[in-house]
Amino acid sequence: MTLDLRWSTDIVTFFNPTYWDLPADLPYPEWEKRVDVDPKPFFDRMLDGAATAGLSGIELAPAPGGWVNALNSYGSAAAFKKELDARNLVLSSSYALPVHLKAVLDAPDESAKKAARQQLHDDTAAHAEFLREVGCPTLITSTIPRAEFSEIEGVDAPSADFDAPTDPELMGEVAEELNGIGNVVSQSGLHLAIHTDAYSLASRTADIDALMAQTDSARVKLCIDAGHIALDGGDPLAVARGHADRAPVLHWKDCAVHLPPHTLSGPPMVRHDEMIKYFRVMGSGGVVDWREWTRILKSKQWSGWGVAEIDMSIDPLREIREGIEYYDRELSTL
């Protein structure tokens, strides 16, 4: 038995400045500004790269590679779809950062919460409508960190904060908001999928179990990222066993070793730059047991999108191909 699997990549794979002949140490905000000035040449080359790598699809990323700049590049969802069609690509999925979700959860009073929720739902509805026109069924987002990171570079956060059980009341509130977002995207004929961001409320097995139990299975799905779960010291195999049947998109990414969350410090992009040093292309040496992962998926007769990605790859075409070739060579016939 072979998996009914199509390969995509998240275009964050193409975000390394050196791929664009820019300085390797270019800060992320500066890279984002450069793309925002005229995103079309960047999108053209990223789409061309995905096609050259032999992929069937792409996943839109956070800014500057998100749906807003796709729209800015081509003028309409229909025009963007034509660009995909011309390269024999489809849009597998599209990711939105949980910025507006966090604003709802952090709101100081009911009035502020209501306004933040309206903003969340309005932005989600616009994103979902764009995806409907392109023919993409899955809008991906994340939850919030399970504890507060240290904003002071070089100063650890308390490890106990990250290791403590999640507050059930908070988990219930997050699930309620995700159900609300799921309802919004369903009005465009889509479903929501929660990405298993490392160190979030959807990374550790018990948290994912609780979140899935409290959300609508028809409207709120899961995007299982093996590398992110492993980076947080979790068990991607357990998550696949428990929830692969609710995961239309899987990120096939590895990591070298568990990175304790409390040791990450500084502004968000500084922490992100440290995290991505630990990610690995599947098959290149990491902690995920890909053979067992594949056996689990086959036993469940899973079908869907496999996202072969590596954040800000120094050689995206080579690394995308390496991961897929490893699957074809070592895993496809298990």
Side-chain angles (χ1 to χ4, degrees), residues 16 24 153 199 227-228 231 253-259 264-265 269-281 284-286 310-314 319:
N16 193 298
E153 201 165 345
Y199 320 125
H228 269 269
L231 188 69
K253 180 172 71 216
D254 211 331
C255 83
V257 67
H258 166 48
L259 174 63
L264 286 165
S265 61
M269 287 313 301
V270 170
R271 301 196 303 267
H272 178 265
D273 288 347
E274 183 63 22
M275 286 171 57
I276 66 175
K277 294 175 184 177
Y278 290 77
F279 290 136
R280 298 290 183 272
V281 175
S284 64
I310 192 80
D311 297 59
M312 303 174 72
S313 171
I314 58 171
E319 294 198 318

Side-chain angles (χ1 to χ4, degrees), residues 44-275:
D44 285 344
R45 189 177 174 197
M46 290 189 287
L47 297 184
D48 288 344
T52 301
L55 297 169
S56 298
I58 64 158
E59 177 178 283
L60 292 178
W67 75 276
V68 172
N69 267 348
L71 189 59
N72 290 340
S73 296
Y74 303 111
S76 69
F80 177 54
K81 186 177 187 303
K82 285 183 180 178
E83 295 292 331
L84 294 172
D85 292 344
R87 297 168 174 85
N88 294 313
L89 295 169
V90 299
L91 190 59
S92 63
S93 37
S94 181
Y95 179 81
L97 286 168
V99 175
H100 295 303
L101 171 64
K102 190 173 189 308
V104 175
L105 299 169
D106 290 347
D109 54 51
E110 281 305 312
S111 177
K113 189 179 291 291
K114 183 178 179 180
R117 185 178 294 117
Q118 188 64 54
Q119 182 70 63
L120 170 62
H121 287 191
D122 287 348
D123 284 13
T124 299
H127 189 174
E129 189 58 19
F130 173 86
L131 298 184
R132 183 193 65 78
E133 293 185 53
V134 178
C136 172
T138 305
L139 193 159
I140 297 173
T141 192
S142 307
T143 58
I144 58 171
R146 67 192 327 274
E148 294 293 330
F149 291 98
S150 168
E151 293 288 332
I152 304 172
E153 201 165 345
V155 176
D156 288 0
S159 59
D161 290 354
F162 284 92
D163 293 337
T166 301
D167 178 0
E169 185 175 339
L170 173 61
M171 184 64 82
E173 185 179 1
V174 170
E176 182 178 358
E177 296 300 335
L178 294 176
N179 278 326
I181 304 171
N183 183 58
V184 170
V185 302
S186 73
Q187 294 172 30
S188 292
L190 279 67
H191 48 244
L192 187 70
I194 310 307
H195 183 263
T196 57
D197 273 13
Y199 320 125
S200 74
L201 293 183
S203 176
R204 301 183 184 182
T205 307
D207 288 343
I208 293 171
D209 291 346
L211 194 62
M212 292 295 96
Q214 296 178 67
T215 49
D216 180 353
S217 61
R219 297 175 179 177
V220 181
K221 310 292 184 180
L222 196 63
C223 173
I224 304 174
D225 187 314
H228 269 269
I229 293 171
L231 188 69
D232 195 14
D235 185 352
L237 303 183
V239 177
R241 284 191 194 97
H243 304 289
D245 55 351
R246 200 166 156 181
V249 179
L250 303 176
H251 284 202
W252 298 56
K253 180 172 71 216
D254 211 331
C255 83
V257 67
H258 166 48
L259 174 63
H262 70 279
T263 65
L264 286 165
S265 61
M269 287 313 301
V270 170
R271 301 196 303 267
H272 178 265
D273 288 347
E274 183 63 22
M275 286 171 57

Side-chain angles (χ1 to χ4, degrees), residues 282-283 291 322-333:
M282 63 172 172
R291 290 180 175 275
E322 281 182 357
I324 295 172
E325 287 168 2
Y326 170 74
Y327 172 83
D328 289 341
R329 183 179 65 251
E330 302 290 341
L331 306 176
S332 62
T333 58

